[in-house]
Amino acid sequence: MHHECTRDCTAHFIRTDLLTEGVTENLRKVTSYAARHEARFMKLLTEQAEDGSKRRNAAGKKELEAAEKRVAELSAIFKRLYEDSMARRISDGRFTEFRIV
């Protein structure tokens, strides 16, 4: 059910002038700090960028390790299938069903 929001509807109404004022004040504080403490501000930015990069690299490394583990598992499965095929424990037709196309 959809209800129409009026000017007095506090659940959905945000005054853009107050929002703009808050954002502007925060921006003013950050730029003021950056102007007064340029070296420290640059160091903080660099540290944040490095932390983000480390987190992305860690996530990528974890994903790579999971993929490598899965490749090793599949390799072992295909090796067993091949060995079963060579030992005639499974038919050639059944082995063919499992081959990589």
Side-chain angles (χ1 to χ4, degrees), residues 78 95-101:
F78 289 126
F95 177 75
T96 304
E97 289 178 23
F98 293 108
R99 76 170 187 220
I100 299 174
V101 179

Side-chain angles (χ1 to χ4, degrees), residues 47-88:
E47 287 171 356
Q48 284 184 348
E50 288 172 353
D51 286 348
S53 179
K54 285 177 186 174
R55 281 194 298 274
R56 284 189 300 276
N57 287 343
K61 184 178 179 185
K62 188 174 183 178
E63 190 175 320
L64 177 62
E65 287 172 352
E68 288 173 340
K69 181 179 177 185
R70 184 63 180 146
V71 166
E73 290 170 352
L74 290 172
S75 180
I77 290 168
F78 289 126
K79 182 180 176 190
R80 282 194 300 273
L81 280 172
Y82 179 76
E83 289 170 351
D84 286 348
S85 175
M86 292 295 101
R88 298 286 186 213

Side-chain angles (χ1 to χ4, degrees), residues 4-24:
E4 200 162 315
C5 191
T6 64
R7 233 177 125 63
D8 298 326
C9 182
T10 57
H12 300 99
F13 182 71
I14 298 174
R15 287 184 47 188
T16 55
D17 59 336
L18 291 178
L19 183 61
T20 301
E21 184 182 319
V23 170
T24 303

